[in-house]
Amino acid sequence: SHRSLTYPIQELTAFTLQVNLARELTALTLATTGSALSRARQYTAAVRHFTEAISRLQPPGALIDIAEIYRRRVTAYLLQVDAAHSIADLSTVISLHPNNANAYIERGIAYEQSGALQKASVDFSEAIRIGSGHCVACAYARRGHDYAKMAEYDRAIADFSNAIQQDQNFSAAYERSRTSIHRAGQLRSGAPGS
């Protein structure tokens, strides 16, 4: 989807447009370099480039969605297991795009990394509410996994079942469901390992 960009003649004659375009192109170059560094597993350098790109986009421009650069920086943070920075950036992405189900899933994963399973479950619930397609299956499976970690096996089983209904090829949901059913049975019977 392309959007038409028209500018008042005053911006052209005052060179405001040209300065803003140069700033955005610099940010785009930094973000592209950050992506390449991230693919090369140089996450610290990638974060530096994304951070510089974000600083160049203050205030945000018309051509580049700053939320996308935050999201790319989050990927580098998550791979460094830096949950606190990931959560902060994803909160910014969500404030910019509140209907982005993937951002809720990613923030839920960051909450999982930090051990905040209840907060993760809230984000996965929001992703389920607004999401569609495979995204919903992932959110159900992640939330089910968290419920299983919290020994809420009936809720976990229900979520894994919903994940499978959303995507029959979701093999991880099948396995986790079987494990949760087994553990729930152990709890109910008082068997060892519960």
Side-chain angles (χ1 to χ4, degrees):
S1 72
H2 292 77
R3 56 184 161 169
S4 175
L5 299 174
T6 56
Y7 297 92
I9 193 74
Q10 298 89 340
E11 285 190 30
L12 292 171
T13 58
F15 293 99
T16 306
L17 175 64
Q18 294 86 338
V19 169
N20 287 337
L21 285 174
R23 181 176 57 86
E24 288 195 61
L25 287 173
T26 300
L28 180 61
T29 301
L30 287 162
T32 302
T33 303
S35 292
L37 288 165
S38 193
R39 280 192 301 279
R41 296 186 175 143
Q42 295 179 24
Y43 304 120
T44 302
V47 165
R48 276 197 312 271
H49 279 77
F50 292 132
T51 300
E52 181 64 21
I54 290 166
S55 74
R56 298 288 176 119
L57 291 174
Q58 300 300 331
L63 299 178
I64 300 172
D65 181 5
I66 194 169
E68 179 59 24
I69 297 173
Y70 275 107
R71 204 193 61 60
R72 288 173 188 240
R73 185 168 71 174
V74 163
T75 300
Y77 281 143
L78 285 173
L79 291 168
Q80 291 179 306
V81 192
D82 184 345
H85 283 106
S86 298
I87 292 165
D89 276 5
L90 286 161
S91 295
T92 300
V93 171
I94 289 167
S95 73
L96 295 168
H97 299 290
N99 291 321
N100 183 335
N102 285 328
Y104 283 99
I105 291 172
E106 289 175 356
R107 190 171 70 177
I109 293 168
Y111 278 131
E112 286 175 337
Q113 282 184 350
S114 73
L117 298 181
Q118 290 291 344
K119 288 182 177 182
S121 293
V122 168
D123 274 358
F124 297 138
S125 295
E126 186 61 14
I128 289 164
R129 186 187 73 74
I130 62 178
S132 63
H134 186 71
C135 171
V136 174
C138 288
Y140 273 121
R142 296 299 303 212
R143 190 175 71 178
H145 182 69
D146 291 345
Y147 285 150
K149 282 183 172 179
M150 295 184 283
E152 295 182 33
Y153 298 114
D154 291 336
R155 293 175 87 180
I157 293 164
D159 272 1
F160 293 135
S161 295
N162 283 323
I164 293 164
Q165 281 182 331
Q166 294 290 320
D167 182 352
Q168 287 79 26
N169 296 319
F170 210 137
S171 61
Y174 284 104
E175 181 58 35
R176 289 179 181 160
S177 178
R178 219 174 39 234
T179 302
S180 293
I181 290 168
H182 177 72
R183 288 188 180 147
Q186 286 180 328
L187 275 178
R188 288 186 187 108
S189 70
S194 55

